[in-house]
Each structure stands twice: as C-alpha cells, then as structure tokens.
Amino acid sequence: MQKPVLFRVTNNLNIGGVQRRIRSVLPLLTESFDVHVVTYKDKGVFWDELPALGVQTHFVKLRGKWDMAGIRRMSALLREHRTDIVHTHSLGGNISGILAAAMARVPVRIGQVHHRGVHWYAKSPMHRWKQKMEETLIHRLFTDKVLHVSQESLDYYAAQTGLPADKLAVLHNGVDFNGMLPDTAPAALRHQLGIAQDKICIGFVGRLVEGKGVEFCMRFARRLLEQSDRFAFVIVGGAPEDKLAALRAETATWGDGNSVIFTGERQDVANFYNLFDLYFFPSDAEWEGMPGVVLEACSFGLPVLARETAPVREISAYYPRIAFMADDADPLTATEQALRLPDADQQVFRDRFSIAAMARRTRELYLSLLG
C-alpha cells in the first residue's frame, strides 16, 4: 500500500534545537510515511544528511512570509508529490507553508509553535500585533492543528489568539539518546580545555544570543568565582567572533584565568554533557518553549540549576534532579544545593522524552488527522 506523503516546512536545517529534532525524528517516520522536508531560507548541514536517512529534501526560496510567487512554487511542489500532510514550523513556515498547502489542497495541515513570548518576533508592539493577527487568520481558515512543545506555550497562544481548544495540542520534544553518545573521555577533554582535573565543571550549551541568559550567566559566574576557586564554566555555543573575543577578554581574569571557557559552536555536544558536573540553564522565561538543552542534560543524568521557567517545571515532573533559583540567589549556595540533588531514576523521563516516544506520538497524530 502506498504510504501517505508527509512534508515538513522549515526555514533552514542548520544546527539548532528545532532542526536537530527534525533531523532525528523524520527518519523514524519513514516506515509509515513518504517523508520530505522543504526549506525556504537556507539549506543547512542536515539538508545534505537527511537523504541518506530516507528523507527527501527540497529548497524553495522565499523572500518573506507573503512571497506569493515563492508560495505558489512551494504549492506546485506539494501538488507534484500528491502530499497528504504538511507540518510547518514557526511563524514564517506557519504562514507561507500553510498557505502553500491550502493552495495545493493538501488534506491535513499542521502548524507548530516552538517559543512562547518571542514567537511573534517583530520589534515594535504594533508589528507584533500584526503578525499575531495574520497567523491567527491563517490558522482559523486553513489549519487543522497547531502544535506546541509545552503546556505553557499552548496556554499563552490560546489566550493571545482565541483559537479553539480542539485546534491546539501539546507535542513534547524528544531527545535522540542513541545519537548523544560521547566519544572523548572527560579527562581528555579537560586536558584539551586546560581545566584542572579537580575542578567542578558547570556547563552551558546554546547560541549566545538574546534571551539565552548569557548576561545573567556571566554575572553568576563572576560572583561564584569570587566566592570559590573550585569551579570552571564551559560555555558551548556559537556567536560572532567579535562577541566571543569580547567575552573571553572580559572573563580572562576571573578565577585562575582559565575558569570561563568559550568553545564556540560545536557539533560534538555529547562530549561536553559528559564532561559537565552540573548543567546551568539561565534562559529568560519567555524565550524557551521546551528547552532541548535541558532535556539533553537530563539524559546524561546531570543535576540542573535553572532560573524559574514553566517549561523546565514541566520537565521536572518527569526528572526531579532540577533545582530552581531566584535571580538574586547566592551563587555558591544555589550551586552547592543543586550538586547535592540525589540521582534520579531516568526511566519515566526517557519514556516521555525519547525521540522514539516523540516519533510515536507524531505518527499517531498524523494518522488520526488523516482519518
């Protein structure tokens, strides 16, 4: 029997949380669906990898969310492959991809929201209101489901858009545990980074951009290193070279002079989770929908020290080895409390947040909407 044809629509397949999950989950859906992904801004490293995993990749250039010529080209691509399901990502994909799917008369159309407060990302309040109204209209007219990575995101989106409850659903992220296997021993990585073997490694993984709490992390690190020389911070994530240089210069005199290390963007993040003794999550509350880096840290059994956010609270229901801190908390006290958290049984967490569980829930949703 011919498999239903599935298209995912996203802006790029470069390294990032959303893209990494797309890259992990789509090959698991190929047994049930003829799986495709189309990008419209850039291709990215995973665009080249996915065909070898059974996922066909396409590129349709769009010059904006309302580029009707590009949307028509995407619609023609969907018609050519007799697409049964279109699943779009983020604001741009939710507008242009859903419109293309509606024009192609695709039977099932699904949008997805990955952030809470920054989903409508325009700088001015009026422009954000315009984005919200445009997307709400698209979903009211053409979309079967709008998925959210956390209950908080769904509740916020429902309040902002007024969309009916039966049009919204939570689909938790998943972690590819098998794809997160380290290949470098922590002692060897410590040596490469110049970290003394007896220091406690506090880790951060993520792009060094607005909303990720980089400034908070730096204030916390400076204060902690003033209190104790037992710690080293390892910051794994990409940023423009001038920003990295400025951060390295700022932190060069903290602790022993090699107590805050910026690695830049790395693909071997599993090696760093395996190095960390504690994972630090300082993101602003509105920035994260369901932070994949926290899920990845939990998959390594790490204690997590986090600023208060509802999605991380949601994770803590499945993984209790998470300590929450107020912004004005004493760094040394908060760190030591997190390090004393007892080991947690990971089975409940893994049953909920494995990539296989995410693929299973995704498959069930698609088939239910196909009827």
Side-chain angles (χ1 to χ4, degrees), residues 156 211 368:
Y156 177 81
S368 69

Side-chain angles (χ1 to χ4, degrees), residues 62-313:
L62 294 181
R63 291 178 172 81
K65 296 185 292 294
W66 297 97
D67 176 6
M68 293 310 299
I71 290 170
R72 282 193 291 270
R73 290 195 299 273
M74 188 179 293
S75 179
L77 176 69
L78 299 175
R79 282 196 303 273
E80 175 189 346
H81 289 274
R82 300 188 178 185
T83 306
D84 298 290
I85 306 164
V86 164
H87 181 164
T88 65
H89 294 271
S90 303
L91 177 63
N94 288 352
I95 290 178
S96 55
I98 294 292
L99 274 177
M103 291 169 62
R105 300 190 178 183
V106 175
V108 174
R109 303 182 287 271
I110 302 166
Q112 184 155 355
V113 175
H114 296 278
H115 297 288
R116 194 197 87 179
V118 294
H119 176 70
W120 300 295
Y121 52 79
K123 292 184 178 179
S124 73
M126 181 59 71
H127 194 182
R128 287 195 297 274
W129 178 86
K130 178 174 176 287
Q131 289 179 333
K132 185 193 310 180
M133 293 302 103
E134 289 171 341
E135 186 184 15
T136 300
L137 179 62
I138 293 294
H139 289 323
R140 282 193 183 279
L141 293 176
F142 305 120
T143 308
D144 298 296
K145 285 285 183 187
V146 183
L147 304 180
H148 298 265
V149 293
S150 68
Q151 187 63 45
E152 182 206 34
S153 171
L154 186 151
D155 293 341
Y156 177 81
Y157 197 84
Q160 292 292 311
T161 63
L163 289 171
D166 63 358
K167 187 159 278 199
L168 307 177
V170 171
L171 179 67
H172 277 151
N173 287 337
V175 175
D176 182 5
F177 300 126
N178 293 329
M180 292 288 295
L181 300 177
D183 58 13
T184 301
L189 191 52
R190 278 177 179 268
H191 179 73
Q192 291 174 23
L193 299 173
I195 302 171
Q197 295 294 328
D198 60 343
K199 286 206 172 184
I200 297 168
C201 280
I202 299 174
F204 169 103
V205 176
R207 290 175 297 125
L208 308 186
V209 296
E210 180 185 2
K212 295 293 187 180
V214 179
E215 294 80 7
F216 182 92
C217 182
M218 293 300 96
R219 291 194 301 271
F220 184 94
R222 179 177 53 78
R223 291 169 60 204
L224 179 60
L225 293 170
E226 287 171 352
Q227 293 176 285
S228 173
D229 62 359
R230 295 185 294 125
F231 302 95
F233 285 78
V234 181
I235 314 297
V236 182
E241 192 52 47
D242 58 342
K243 181 171 184 176
L244 281 176
L247 287 168
R248 287 175 177 136
E250 178 187 357
T251 59
T253 60
W254 298 1
D256 64 2
N258 196 42
S259 294
V260 184
I261 297 163
F262 296 89
T263 71
E265 184 176 89
R266 298 287 294 253
Q267 292 197 47
D268 60 336
V269 291
N271 290 325
F272 290 90
Y273 287 118
N274 200 40
L275 166 72
F276 301 153
D277 299 297
L278 172 71
Y279 189 77
F280 187 57
F281 184 71
S283 282
D284 298 337
E286 291 188 359
W287 186 259
E288 303 286 351
M290 176 58 72
V293 290
V294 174
L295 297 178
E296 290 169 353
C298 295
S299 77
F300 278 81
L302 291 171
V304 176
L305 178 59
R307 294 168 79 187
E308 183 68 54
T309 65
V312 180
R313 282 281 176 193

Side-chain angles (χ1 to χ4, degrees), residues 33 59 66 109 299 336 370:
F33 304 94
F59 179 71
W66 297 97
R109 303 182 287 271
S299 77
E336 290 180 338
L370 278 174

Side-chain angles (χ1 to χ4, degrees), residues 11-54:
N11 61 350
N12 68 74
L13 286 169
N14 287 310
I15 296 173
V18 175
Q19 293 88 344
R20 284 168 63 193
R21 263 167 289 287
I22 290 174
R23 185 249 182 258
S24 295
V25 79
L26 290 190
L28 302 183
L29 297 174
T30 57
E31 287 188 9
S32 302
F33 304 94
D34 177 6
V35 183
H36 303 247
V37 59
V38 55
T39 63
Y40 54 85
K41 186 175 181 182
D42 298 306
K43 292 181 178 180
V45 295
F46 298 142
W47 195 92
D48 295 315
E49 289 182 14
L50 281 168
L53 301 173

